[in-house]
Amino acid sequence: MGTPCLNWPKQAANKLYRLQTPTTPLFRPVHHDNVRLDDFAMGTNAIVAVISYTGYDMEDAMIINKCAYERGFAYGSIYKSKFIELDGASFFARSPHLPDLNKILDNDGLPHAGTKLWHGCPFYCYFDVDTSTYKVVKLDEKEDCVVDSVRYCGNFKANARRMVCVTLRIPRPPTIGDKFASRAGQKGICSQRYPAEDLPFSETGLIPDIVFNPHGFPSRMTIAMMIETMAGKSAALHGLVHDATPFRFSEKHTAIDYFGRLLEAGGYNYYGTERLYSGVDGREMSADIFFGVVHYQRLRHMVFDKWQVRSTGPVDAITQQPIKGRKRGGGVRFGEMERDALISHGAAFLLQDRLFHNSDKTHTLVCSKCGSILAPLKKIIMRSETGKLQSMPDTCRLCGDGTAVGYIEIPFSFKYLVSELSSVNINARLKLMNI
Ligand SMILES: [Zn+2]
């Protein structure tokens, strides 16, 4: 997220991700200024403490200071433009018969800029000339949003009041599950908006905006992020912006030494570390904590667009297994690797639960004599010509009699496989025990 364009009132892009209060990085290469990247700011300067704290920063998780969040840290919005075109001679107009519409729609049947909308609320109203009725169209957005602008489009004389562009603004404050990254490519998911009073604090009372786990450094070797931590800190300290252009430092004149000396001159530790105090009990921590300013970006992958749940729902017509797809209410695939994981743990009942009971379990006939699941026919009760109820017993079309016909529970996909095999002249026989 960032500043994709500067013509907010005029743009009509399908979807834009905007950062509300971006700041300029304190450590950047010359190209940043050459291409005037400050005009399209893309991130926020965060106070970062490199510490393993609580466990909510394990692996690639990241703790965000709740106070920083409340101050608007990394607040973003999505701008969506919708083009509405009416057929024939129909035109936008608010229905006079529905007084409730007045709260949301203007006389022209459209919401005015600034109106708050929600899922299923009236979005616009028009007069359908063909049926001579007013029609109200509901908003299909899943989230609450605000109307940013409403514009009539096209040739005004020819298409007057028939084509409109409505831009909606969807607020997206940072939430648990949203993605962030430093410019070194250290991406992480917000795992908690941690109360500031419980976070560690420095001797000057500074509380980090972001808690970054130190285990992210050794394997990824993002030395640039460590240099940035020190450079950012010294830049903030001395009111400077540091040059991050490659090859400006050498083995004799190292970046670490340069920024270390600047930090020292400002009264800080040469290595960029600080004494921190536990936010929980106030005790001084025995380890020195690497603490500084890093330019963080908010990435466009947000939980709201990705979350997926299913209890029961639609199934595939052929396999009778749950369908896939987030939009269609499908399930999350429990694939081969997941299956192997459960096998390796000996979790047989969980495996059966996932792959059978909660999937394509079917109750079907089987003949234990010939082992076929396709040949047996169900017992049916029918009315004879004389009007009497007549019962037809279970029969097996292979054996001729139905004495050995019973029921079994199998995955439907197995039955489907047997049917497909029969179509190429392969007969599948089951060996059944204790039927
Ligand atoms: Zn049979």
Side-chain angles (χ1 to χ4, degrees), residues 213-224:
N213 194 305
H215 297 99
F217 279 129
S219 55
R220 286 170 242 249
M221 298 190 280
T222 49
I223 313 303

Side-chain angles (χ1 to χ4, degrees), residues 366-372 375-376 395-401 404-405:
V366 67
C367 173
S368 61
K369 209 168 174 183
C370 65
S372 173
T395 49
C396 175
R397 284 175 290 180
L398 272 184
C399 311
D401 75 298
V405 170

Side-chain angles (χ1 to χ4, degrees), residues 181-361:
S182 75
R183 287 174 301 163
Q186 284 280 21
K187 53 186 192 278
I189 304 294
C190 171
S191 60
Q192 196 76 253
R193 288 188 298 218
Y194 220 79
E197 57 269 30
D198 294 338
L199 285 172
F201 55 91
S202 73
E203 280 175 4
T204 53
L206 206 61
I207 306 167
D209 295 324
I210 287 172
V211 176
F212 179 83
N213 194 305
H215 297 99
F217 279 129
S219 55
R220 286 170 242 249
M221 298 190 280
T222 49
I223 313 303
M225 185 165 155
M226 294 198 254
I227 299 174
E228 188 191 347
T229 310
M230 293 177 74
K233 190 173 174 177
S234 69
L237 202 56
H238 297 286
L240 301 168
V241 166
H242 287 307
D243 185 10
T245 314
F247 310 119
R248 291 289 159 97
F249 292 98
S250 65
E251 290 287 318
K252 280 184 184 155
H253 175 52
T254 60
I256 298 296
D257 183 62
Y258 178 75
F259 296 117
R261 281 173 197 279
L262 275 177
L263 285 175
E264 225 169 26
Y268 277 94
N269 182 293
Y270 175 84
Y271 296 103
T273 59
E274 276 183 53
R275 284 318 260 191
L276 289 195
Y277 296 84
S278 165
V280 178
D281 54 24
R283 281 185 298 175
E284 185 180 339
M285 291 176 177
S286 50
D288 285 339
I289 305 301
F290 198 46
F291 199 78
V293 181
V294 179
H295 191 71
Y296 257 82
Q297 291 162 304
R298 174 122 188 250
L299 305 185
R300 44 184 283 184
H301 306 278
M302 285 172 270
V303 256
F304 192 89
D305 306 311
K306 298 193 169 205
W307 62 270
Q308 192 173 352
V309 285
R310 175 185 165 113
S311 52
T312 49
V315 290
D316 187 88
I318 294 171
T319 62
Q320 291 196 13
Q321 288 176 351
I323 57 160
K324 60 179 179 182
R326 199 181 75 90
K327 279 180 204 154
R328 293 181 289 159
V332 181
R333 183 176 164 83
F334 192 90
E336 276 85 351
M337 286 169 69
E338 290 76 13
R339 181 205 61 177
D340 293 345
L342 290 198
I343 292 171
S344 72
H345 281 260
F349 278 90
L350 179 56
L351 194 70
Q352 193 186 38
D353 182 69
R354 295 290 88 204
L355 258 34
F356 184 55
H357 296 299
N358 285 314
S359 185
D360 57 346
K361 176 180 173 179

Side-chain angles (χ1 to χ4, degrees), residues 94 101-107 109-111 122-125 136:
R94 187 179 63 199
L101 286 180
N102 300 7
K103 290 174 198 161
I104 297 163
L105 304 181
D106 251 339
N107 288 334
L110 293 159
F123 184 32
Y124 61 91
C125 178
V136 179

Side-chain angles (χ1 to χ4, degrees), residues 89-92 152-163:
S90 303
F91 56 90
F92 289 103
Y152 280 111
C153 309
N155 182 338
F156 204 80
K157 278 178 194 163
N159 321 319
R161 302 174 73 186
R162 271 190 272 139
M163 193 164 148

